[in-house]
């Protein structure tokens, strides 16, 4: 069980030892843990604006880079592939080096690379980067950005007590829809007005600012005897040999598949199938992200109070499956309702928003349960394992959707989303 750090509890290290305190020996105020949480939110939001915001520009990206749907899916998919490949190595490094060092390296490198993309990998009047260069660039962006997830989660688990961790991790996870929502609101219009140099430049600035915050305020918690404040020693096998950790990580990945479908191709669905414009598309995607923010904060507090994380996760799987089944049925019936075009334009975006929120509301609870099983000393590894599965989805789903569209059109896409959510339900652990 972690403890709140209080500067009145201990004498400053300088006075006790007669010398300056090392970073690990500094005495922090009780509120410092909220600064650490704020850094986790900023870091995740900046990278979320990249991996969720760039897909929100899918229609403009397709036009600007002269891509077909299959090439668009590949370009967006390799961004997730890069994160999936790098998550576990970054997580292992986090548990070995500490979250501060990994977060500074990762955010700094991501900012630098996005700046290079703003200079060299954008359409101009004289040349248009081919899909290979664009895909390789987005792959490297994902490889570097994979540092954010495990390192910020480890810091939060170390600084907060058990009764606060679900709430804290849920706030941290709101950064994903928050950054994605801001990206969905800003980036498509920015791409139309100023081009992709402005898009990549803005994302580079966000990562650089988050790195600055981490450099200023992110530190390891003080030591107490032989362990950190907040360190929870959990008996059992390490995360990579723990079947319960693997089950939760797998279920997290499966339940992210329908979420990724919404994040990456909802803009194309609303444009091509429903026929709404850029403003309405951006508003719909932003509504998904705002709803997810609210639900993640509520779910963290709710499950902290009731101790029902596992039951909540199983319920979210079932509700998400139901929401996508309803969306599938309505899209399937749309051709027969062609005379009710206004009805479809009004209802389908709303239903997509509801389905998107339902499949995006559980992340903080899931990551808290996973980190608790692993123990604070292995949080980086456990969270990175889960995020490896998540970003496999960010790779596979955009690549698979064009094929599904060719074979089954949009009903096939949303039915597949429902099936993935349903499969995740029995894999999540039953309440103890």
């Amino acid at each position: 069980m972690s403890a709140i750090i209080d500067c009145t509890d201990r004498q400053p290290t300088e006075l006790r030892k007669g010398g300056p305190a090392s970073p690990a020996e500094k005495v922090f105020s009780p509120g410092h843990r909220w600064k650490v949480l704020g850094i986790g939110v900023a870091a995740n939001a900046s990278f979320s604006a990249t991996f969720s915001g760039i897909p929100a520009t899918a229609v403009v990206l397709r036009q600007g880079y002269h891509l077909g749907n299959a090439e668009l899916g590949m370009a967006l998919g390799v961004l997730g592939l890069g994160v999936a490949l790098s998550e576990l190595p970054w997580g292992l490094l986090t548990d070995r080096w500490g979250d501060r060092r990994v977060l500074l390296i990762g955010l700094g490198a991501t900012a630098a690379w996005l700046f290079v993309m703003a200079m060299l990998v954008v359409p101009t009047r004289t040349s248009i980067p081919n899909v290979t260069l664009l895909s390789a660039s987005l792959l490297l962006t994902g490889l570097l950005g994979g540092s954010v997830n495990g390192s910020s989660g480890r810091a939060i688990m170390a600084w907060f007590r058990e009764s606060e961790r679900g709430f804290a991790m849920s706030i941290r996870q709101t950064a994903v829809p928050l950054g994605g929502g801001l990206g969905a609101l800003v980036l498509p219009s920015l791409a139309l007005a100023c081009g992709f140099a402005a898009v990549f430049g803005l994302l580079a600035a966000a990562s650089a600012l988050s790195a600055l915050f981490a450099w200023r305020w992110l530190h390891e918690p003080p030591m107490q005897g032989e362990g950190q404040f907040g360190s929870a020693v959990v008996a059992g096998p390490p995360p990579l040999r723990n079947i319960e950790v693997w089950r939760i990580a797998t279920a997290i990945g499966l339940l992210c598949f329908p979420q990724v479908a919404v994040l990456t191709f909802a803009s194309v669905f609303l444009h091509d199938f429903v026929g709404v414009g850029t403003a309405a598309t951006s508003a719909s995607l932003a509504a998904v992200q705002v709803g997810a923010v609210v639900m993640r904060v509520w779910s963290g507090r709710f499950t902290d109070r009731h101790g029902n994380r596992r039951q909540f996760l199983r319920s979210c799987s079932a509700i998400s499956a139901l929401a996508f089944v309803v969306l599938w049925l309505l899209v399937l019936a749309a051709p027969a309702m062609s005379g009710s075009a206004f009805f479809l334009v009004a209802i389908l975006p709303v239903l997509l928003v509801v389905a998107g929120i339902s499949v995006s509301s559980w992340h903080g609870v899931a990551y808290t349960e996973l980190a608790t099983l692993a123990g604070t000393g292995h949080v980086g590894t456990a969270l990175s394992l889960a995020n490896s599965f998540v970003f496999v989805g960010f790779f596979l789903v955009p690549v698979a959707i064009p094929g599904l569209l060719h074979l089954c059109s949009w009903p096939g896409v949303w039915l597949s989303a429902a099936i993935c959510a349903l499969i995740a339900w029995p894999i999540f652990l039953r309440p103890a």
Side-chain angles (χ1 to χ4, degrees):
M1 175 111 18
S2 61
I4 300 175
I5 311 304
D6 193 332
C7 60
T8 64
D9 289 342
R10 312 161 65 230
Q11 291 182 330
T13 304
E14 292 92 335
L15 297 178
R16 288 186 287 107
K17 294 185 178 179
S22 68
E25 295 172 329
K26 288 182 179 179
V27 179
F28 297 93
S29 70
H32 189 81
R33 69 194 194 283
W34 298 105
K35 293 180 182 179
V36 173
L37 178 56
I39 293 164
V41 170
N44 278 268
S46 64
F47 186 56
S48 176
T50 300
F51 76 75
S52 296
I54 290 176
T57 70
V59 174
V60 188
L61 193 73
R62 185 173 62 180
Q63 295 170 349
Y65 286 85
H66 296 181
L67 305 175
N69 276 343
E71 292 174 320
L72 174 66
M74 177 60 69
L76 296 178
V78 296
L79 177 59
L81 177 63
V83 184
L85 292 175
S86 67
E87 274 283 351
L88 194 54
W90 280 120
L92 292 168
L93 286 175
T94 297
D95 287 335
R96 175 171 297 212
W97 289 353
D99 34 72
R100 174 183 169 87
R101 185 183 301 182
V102 169
L103 206 55
L104 286 174
I105 293 172
L107 284 171
T110 301
W113 178 244
L114 285 168
F115 181 75
V116 170
M117 288 184 65
M119 298 294 100
L120 303 177
V121 194
V122 294
T124 66
R125 293 180 179 179
T126 58
S127 65
I128 297 174
N130 60 41
V131 66
T132 302
L133 177 59
L134 176 64
S135 298
S137 299
L138 292 176
L139 176 67
L140 184 55
T141 303
L143 288 170
L144 297 174
S147 59
V148 170
N149 297 302
S151 54
S152 59
R154 179 181 180 274
I156 290 166
M157 288 294 292
W159 276 93
F160 283 82
R161 57 163 64 105
E162 170 62 25
S163 61
E164 298 174 317
R165 286 174 179 167
F167 182 57
M169 287 289 280
S170 292
I171 291 177
R172 178 250 196 185
Q173 286 302 119
T174 63
V176 178
L178 177 63
L182 290 173
L185 278 176
V186 173
L187 296 186
S189 299
L190 185 64
L192 279 172
C194 305
F196 279 92
V199 170
F200 297 139
L202 180 61
L203 295 173
S207 292
L209 184 61
S210 297
L212 179 63
F213 292 154
W215 172 79
R216 177 65 180 84
W217 288 301
L218 181 61
H219 302 284
E220 293 288 328
M223 305 295 288
Q224 185 182 47
E226 296 299 323
Q228 294 177 346
F229 280 102
S231 292
V233 179
V234 176
L240 297 183
R241 298 204 300 268
N242 188 330
I243 187 61
E244 291 186 336
V245 168
W246 278 92
R247 280 185 61 177
I248 293 181
T250 302
I252 286 172
L254 279 169
L255 199 50
C256 278
F257 276 37
Q259 181 193 7
V260 174
V262 173
L263 291 177
T264 55
F265 267 81
S267 60
V268 178
F269 169 71
L270 293 173
H271 178 272
D272 293 357
F273 186 85
V274 183
V276 301
T278 300
T281 297
S282 294
S284 298
L285 292 176
V288 170
Q289 305 289 17
V290 170
V293 167
V294 173
M295 287 300 297
R296 289 182 188 195
V297 173
W298 172 83
S299 65
R301 176 64 74 186
F302 175 76
T303 55
D304 275 349
R305 288 177 175 175
H306 295 85
N308 60 343
R309 290 177 193 148
R310 295 183 181 183
Q311 182 59 48
F312 180 83
L313 294 173
R314 289 168 66 86
S315 298
C316 282
S317 296
I319 293 170
S320 298
L322 178 61
F324 280 102
V325 165
V326 174
L327 181 61
W328 163 61
L329 290 173
L330 192 55
V331 171
L332 197 64
M337 302 170 63
S338 56
S340 305
F342 176 77
F343 173 78
L344 292 176
V345 169
I347 294 299
L348 284 177
V350 172
L351 191 54
L352 182 66
V353 168
V354 171
I357 292 173
S358 71
V359 82
S360 304
S361 61
W362 49 269
H363 291 69
V365 176
Y367 284 118
T368 304
E369 180 66 17
L370 181 64
T372 301
L373 278 173
T376 306
H378 300 290
V379 169
T381 301
L383 296 186
S384 295
L385 176 64
N387 280 314
S388 296
F389 285 102
V390 169
F391 285 97
V392 165
F394 269 91
F395 169 63
L396 292 180
V397 172
V399 172
I401 283 179
L404 284 172
L405 287 174
H406 179 72
L407 293 174
C408 315
S409 193
W410 287 107
V413 172
W414 303 128
L415 178 60
S416 299
I419 291 171
C420 288
L422 187 61
I423 293 173
W425 173 73
I427 298 176
F428 274 122
L429 300 176
R430 292 181 179 274

